[in-house]
Structures are given as structure tokens and as C-alpha cells.
């Protein structure tokens, strides 16, 4: 690998987000020159198919380690110009993610040669809502608290600059039952069933997320000590169903289901949210169902805000849900997106529940 490139350590590299960031970092510049960056992908398993795919990309290398094994994080940071850090709250849980985030930042600073630390963030819902338990989504608050710590640290243009990128649900989750429709064979129509009422989800298409991550690395001084809050489109479920019908020519509608109806579409929602505690029978862990009930509450009540006009100034080519559906030839079918889902971790689709859910929906 050419030493003239700026080497970026990506944590969470083999995941859906990390891969989008890697592709954006290695893409040619807008003038058509080769990328100024190379990438080091941290992974616990260099033999997974996603790790092998990354290892085969020119300009990328994989590095065996875990973000909770701080010795391996330190070694991975050596020789790097920057770091893009997306810890995984679904694996480590809220408490583990917070300590890891803090410690990774400290090590990045300690190493003395890193120039740009970028934290991948989610909105700190507790702080926004006065710690209202109705909205307590643990995988958001874990990351949000780490950003509060980082905000208290120096960002030095002649040393290490820190920046943050606050994202949100991937638009690609439309190909997962989290957001995607179920097909009703009786009426040959697609039902977008979610407990969202008149609320909205600011979704981010992964290619747009990649664009913003690259933009931050390309504009280090401008983003010193700054958090960039992004979205691609702020989507209501009635517009989602209308857009799907327009783009695909299929019949579609939105049904505002109670949370219990939505949860039936998934398996294992009574398990702990964090994979690390998955086999634990202990009731001290928040379950997937508890966490995602609160998560839907925050979108139902439009807790999260974004400034679309300001975001479009940075990325004029921002995708709308309509342009994303056209670009990806979206047809409402389900595909595995997340590495965790591929590995059978977390709540997964429960096809057996569909006939029962459809019967309930038809009666609404
Ligand atoms: N789903 C969404 O819509 C969404 C949107 C915004 C943010 N997020 C956040 O993104 C994070 C998950 O990333 P993802 O969406 O890309 O999910 P994903 O596709 O399931 O990937 C999970 C990633 O986490 C890595 N990982 C987990 N534990 C690790 C450890 N101890 N050390 C090193 N790497 C570890 C995995 O790497 P290896 O298995 O290769 O080690 C993999 O790269 C979560 O914190 C989630 O809250 C998700």
C-alpha cells in the first residue's frame, strides 16, 4: 500500500455502515484523481466473507482485533492518519459501548500521531427529552453519551481534530421488516404496518452516509469540534406507501398498527438487546421489544429533528426516498443487510406470523 495515502482505521468496518464508509473513502475524488485515503478495517474475524471482500479491495487491509480489546485497538491505530469509529451497541450493550467509545478516543489521542478522529453517533435521546423513559432507546443514548464526553475534549488543528457524524436509521432498512412492507396475497397489495401514526423517520441512505463521512475527512479544519447531523429524507409512512406505489406500480397502503402487532413480525424480541447477553435468562437486561417500543415512540412523536436545507448545501445530490427506490430498484422484498442479522443475531423476521398479522390488519 502506498505510504503517500492517509490511512484511516475503520471500526465496524465489516458492517453495513463501515462498508459504505470504506467505499466512500476509497472512491476517486470529484476531479477523478485517485483517493488520498487508504483503509485499515478492524474485525474480530479476518476470515468472514465481508472481511475477505474488504481485503480484496485495492487500498484496503484488514486488521484482526476487537474494539473492546484495547491493546488491539492501540496497535490498529498505529500509523493511521484518521479513525472512523462505529462501535456496535447491539453487540456490546449500552454500558460496554460507552466505555469502549471513551477509551478508543483516549487511545487515539495518546498515540500522538492521529490527525482526525471521527465518531459515528446517534442522537442522545435522553438529553433531548429530559430523560423521559418513554423514549429511552439504549443504542442511541450509548453513542450520544460518548459524544458528550468527546465534546469536553480539545480538538487541535495542529494535533488531533475530532468530529462527529450523527446518523439515523438506514434507508436500506426498508428491505428488512423493521421498515419494509408485508405482501397481502388476498388483495395483491403491500402493507406498510408501523406504530408511527403521523410521525416521521429521518432515514439515511448508506451511500449518503458514506458521502458525509468522506466529506468530513476531506474538510478536517471546517469540521474540527463539530457534530454533523444528517439525513437523506424525513419520511412519513403515508408518503412511504404512496412513493412505493408510484415507483413500483404496486398497490400499497400504510396501516398504523399498535406496537404489539408490529413486534409479532419479528422473532426473539424477548431476548436482551445486546447480543453479548443473548443467552442470558436474566431480566436485568433490556429486551429488544422494550428498546424498540421506546424507539418507535420517539419517531411517532417526531423527537428527532434535522435541517434538510443545510444538509443539502453539503450534499446537493442527497437521495430522497423516491430517488433511492428508483436507484436501488426497490420492490419491497426482504434482504439481509446487517452483519449481525446475517449471523442470526438480534431480532429476525418471523414469516410464520405473517398470516395472523395480515388477518388482524385486514380487520383494521
Ligand atoms: N441499523 C441501522 O439503521 C443503524 C443506523 C445508524 C447507526 N447504527 C449503529 O451501527 C452499529 C452497528 O453497525 P452496522 O449498522 O454496520 O451493523 P452490522 O452490519 O451488524 O455490523 C456490525 C459491525 O460491528 C462490528 N463489531 C461488533 N462488535 C465488535 C467488536 N467487539 N470489535 C470489533 N468490531 C465489532 C462487526 O465486526 P466483526 O463482526 O467483523 O468483528 C461489524 O462490522 C450499532 O451501534 C447501531 O446502533 C445502525
Amino acid at each position: 500500500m502506498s505510504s503517500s495515502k492517509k490511512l484511516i482505521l475503520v471500526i465496524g468496518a465489516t458492517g453495513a455502515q463501515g462498508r459504505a464508509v470504506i467505499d466512500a473513502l476509497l472512491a476517486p475524488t470529484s476531479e477523478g484523481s485517485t483517493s488520498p485515503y487508504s483503509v485499515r478495517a478492524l474485525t474480530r474475524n479476518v476470515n468472514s466473507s465481508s472481511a475477505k471482500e474488504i481485503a480484496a479491495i485495492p487500498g484496503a487491509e484488514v486488521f484482526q482485533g476487537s474494539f473492546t480489546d484495547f491493546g488491539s485497538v492501540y496497535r490498529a491505530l498505529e500509523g493511521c492518519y484518521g479513525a472512523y469509529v462505529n462501535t456496535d451497541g447491539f453487540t456490546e450493550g449500552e454500558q460496554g459501548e460507552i466505555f469502549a467509545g471513551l477509551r478508543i478516543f483516549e487511545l487515539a489521542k495518546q498515540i500522538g500521531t492521529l490527525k482526525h478522529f471521527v465518531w459515528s453517533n446517534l442522537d442522545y435521546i435522553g438529553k433531548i427529552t429530559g430523560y423521559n423513559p418513554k423514549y429511552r432507546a439504549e443504542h442511541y443514548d450509548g453513542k450520544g453519551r460518548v459524544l458528550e464526553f468527546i465534546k469536553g475534549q480539545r480538538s487541535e488543528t495542529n494535533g488531533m481534530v475530532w468530529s462527529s457524524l450523527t446518523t439515523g436509521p438506514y434507508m436500506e432498512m426498508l428491505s428488512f421488516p423493521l421498515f419494509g412492507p408485508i405482501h397481502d396475497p388476498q388483495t395483491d397489495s403491500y402493507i406498510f404496518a408501523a406504530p408511527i401514526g403521523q410521525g416521521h423517520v429521518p432515514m439515511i441512505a448508506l451511500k449518503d452516509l458514506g458521502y458525509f463521512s468522506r466529506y468530513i475527512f476531506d474538510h478536517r479544519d471546517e469540521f474540527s469540534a463539530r457534530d454533523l447531523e444528517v439525513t437523506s429524507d424525513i419520511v412519513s409512512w403515508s408518503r412511504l406507501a404512496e412513493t412505493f406505489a408510484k415507483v413500483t406500480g404496486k398497490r400499497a397502503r400504510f396501516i398504523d398498527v399498535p406496537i404489539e402487532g408490529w413486534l409479532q413480525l419479528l422473532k426473539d424480541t424477548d431476548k436482551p438487546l445486546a447480543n453479548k447477553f443473548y443467552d442470558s435468562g436474566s431480566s436485568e437486561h433490556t429486551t429488544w421489544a422494550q428498546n424498540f417500543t421506546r424507539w418507535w415512540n420517539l419517531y411517532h412523536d417526531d423527537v428527532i429533528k434535522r435541517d434538510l436545507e443545510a444538509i443539502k448545501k453539503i450534499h446537493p445530490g442527497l437521495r430522497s426516498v423516491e430517488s433511492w427506490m428508483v436507484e436501488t430498484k426497490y420492490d419491497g422484498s426482504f434482504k439481509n443487510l446487517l452483519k449481525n442479522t446475517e449471523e442470526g443475531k438480534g431480532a429476525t423476521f418471523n414469516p410464520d406470523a405473517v398470516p395472523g398479522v395480515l388477518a388482524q390488519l385486514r380487520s383494521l
Side-chain angles (χ1 to χ4, degrees), residues 135-208:
Y135 304 115
R136 206 174 113 56
E138 295 188 1
H139 62 299
Y140 281 44
D141 283 354
K143 289 189 190 301
R145 287 196 198 92
V146 175
L147 178 58
E148 291 300 306
F149 164 83
I150 294 174
K151 281 180 181 167
Q153 307 295 319
R154 282 193 297 275
S155 183
E156 297 163 310
T157 42
N158 57 352
M160 188 182 97
V161 156
W162 67 257
S163 312
S164 167
L165 178 65
T166 298
T167 68
Y170 311 141
M171 207 167 263
E172 285 74 5
M173 297 306 279
L174 282 163
S175 297
F176 184 70
L178 186 72
F179 285 166
I182 46 175
H183 180 238
D184 182 353
Q186 225 175 65
T187 53
D188 192 19
S189 64
Y190 287 76
I191 301 176
F192 287 83
I196 192 169
Q198 304 308 308
H200 302 77
V201 177
M203 300 179 185
I204 178 91
L206 280 166
K207 282 192 175 161
D208 288 341

Side-chain angles (χ1 to χ4, degrees), residues 11-19 42-45 48 50-51 65-69 86-92 97 120-122 139-140 143 167-171 173 178-179 204 209 295 337-341 343 345:
I11 293 185
T14 56
Q17 180 173 148
R19 183 55 199 268
L42 187 79
T43 174
R44 290 164 298 173
N45 178 11
S48 73
S50 32
S66 162
F67 69 69
T68 56
D69 168 0
N86 183 32
T87 48
D88 184 9
F90 288 121
T91 295
E92 283 307 317
E97 181 168 36
S120 173
N121 193 47
L122 287 168
H139 62 299
Y140 281 44
K143 289 189 190 301
T167 68
Y170 311 141
M171 207 167 263
M173 297 306 279
L178 186 72
F179 285 166
I204 178 91
L209 191 158
W295 182 85
L337 166 74
L338 302 177
K339 185 164 189 287
N340 279 329
T341 319
E343 292 173 355
K345 297 170 187 161

Side-chain angles (χ1 to χ4, degrees), residues 1-6 38:
M1 199 172 291
S2 160
S3 58
S4 63
K5 304 266 187 191
K6 294 172 174 171
S38 56

Side-chain angles (χ1 to χ4, degrees), residues 9-267:
L9 173 66
V10 178
I11 293 185
T14 56
Q17 180 173 148
R19 183 55 199 268
V21 169
I22 290 175
D23 290 346
L25 287 174
L26 296 179
T29 66
S30 48
E31 291 81 34
S33 310
T34 57
S35 167
Y37 304 106
S38 56
V39 163
R40 177 174 288 166
L42 187 79
T43 174
R44 290 164 298 173
N45 178 11
V46 293
N47 293 314
S48 73
S49 55
S50 32
K52 283 183 177 163
E53 250 182 50
I54 293 170
I57 304 174
E61 63 185 41
V62 291
F63 193 100
Q64 173 92 39
S66 162
F67 69 69
T68 56
D69 168 0
F70 300 120
S72 73
V73 172
Y74 188 89
R75 288 190 297 280
L77 284 164
E78 278 176 328
C80 288
Y81 161 88
Y84 183 89
V85 182
N86 183 32
T87 48
D88 184 9
F90 288 121
T91 295
E92 283 307 317
E94 186 183 26
Q95 294 182 23
E97 181 168 36
I98 293 168
F99 184 67
L102 266 54
R103 197 65 197 120
I104 296 166
F105 180 90
E106 290 173 350
L107 292 172
K109 195 90 180 177
Q110 179 188 327
I111 210 152
T113 45
L114 202 92
K115 298 293 178 209
H116 200 175
F117 179 95
V118 181
W119 175 246
S120 173
N121 193 47
L122 287 168
D123 297 74
Y124 186 5
I125 303 301
K127 189 177 176 190
I128 297 170
T129 63
Y131 306 97
N132 186 338
K134 177 180 175 188
Y135 304 115
R136 206 174 113 56
E138 295 188 1
H139 62 299
Y140 281 44
D141 283 354
K143 289 189 190 301
R145 287 196 198 92
V146 175
L147 178 58
E148 291 300 306
F149 164 83
I150 294 174
K151 281 180 181 167
Q153 307 295 319
R154 282 193 297 275
S155 183
E156 297 163 310
T157 42
N158 57 352
M160 188 182 97
V161 156
W162 67 257
S163 312
S164 167
L165 178 65
T166 298
T167 68
Y170 311 141
M171 207 167 263
E172 285 74 5
M173 297 306 279
L174 282 163
S175 297
F176 184 70
L178 186 72
F179 285 166
I182 46 175
H183 180 238
D184 182 353
Q186 225 175 65
T187 53
D188 192 19
S189 64
Y190 287 76
I191 301 176
F192 287 83
I196 192 169
Q198 304 308 308
H200 302 77
V201 177
M203 300 179 185
I204 178 91
L206 280 166
K207 282 192 175 161
D208 288 341
L209 191 158
Y211 177 97
F212 291 116
S213 67
R214 168 77 179 256
Y215 193 91
I216 289 175
F217 280 111
D218 283 351
H219 297 81
R220 173 177 176 267
D221 291 359
E222 187 186 332
F223 283 93
S224 174
R226 263 184 72 188
D227 174 37
L228 179 63
E229 295 182 343
V230 293
T231 184
S232 296
D233 196 356
I234 302 172
V235 184
S236 72
W237 252 236
S238 43
R239 178 157 72 88
L240 182 59
E242 278 162 27
T243 307
F244 177 79
K246 181 178 166 196
V247 170
T248 62
K250 300 174 201 265
R251 295 176 60 207
R253 65 183 173 129
F254 158 49
I255 298 184
D256 185 18
V257 286
I259 185 70
E260 296 74 22
W262 180 80
L263 283 170
Q264 282 174 42
L265 290 169
L266 298 160
K267 283 189 246 186

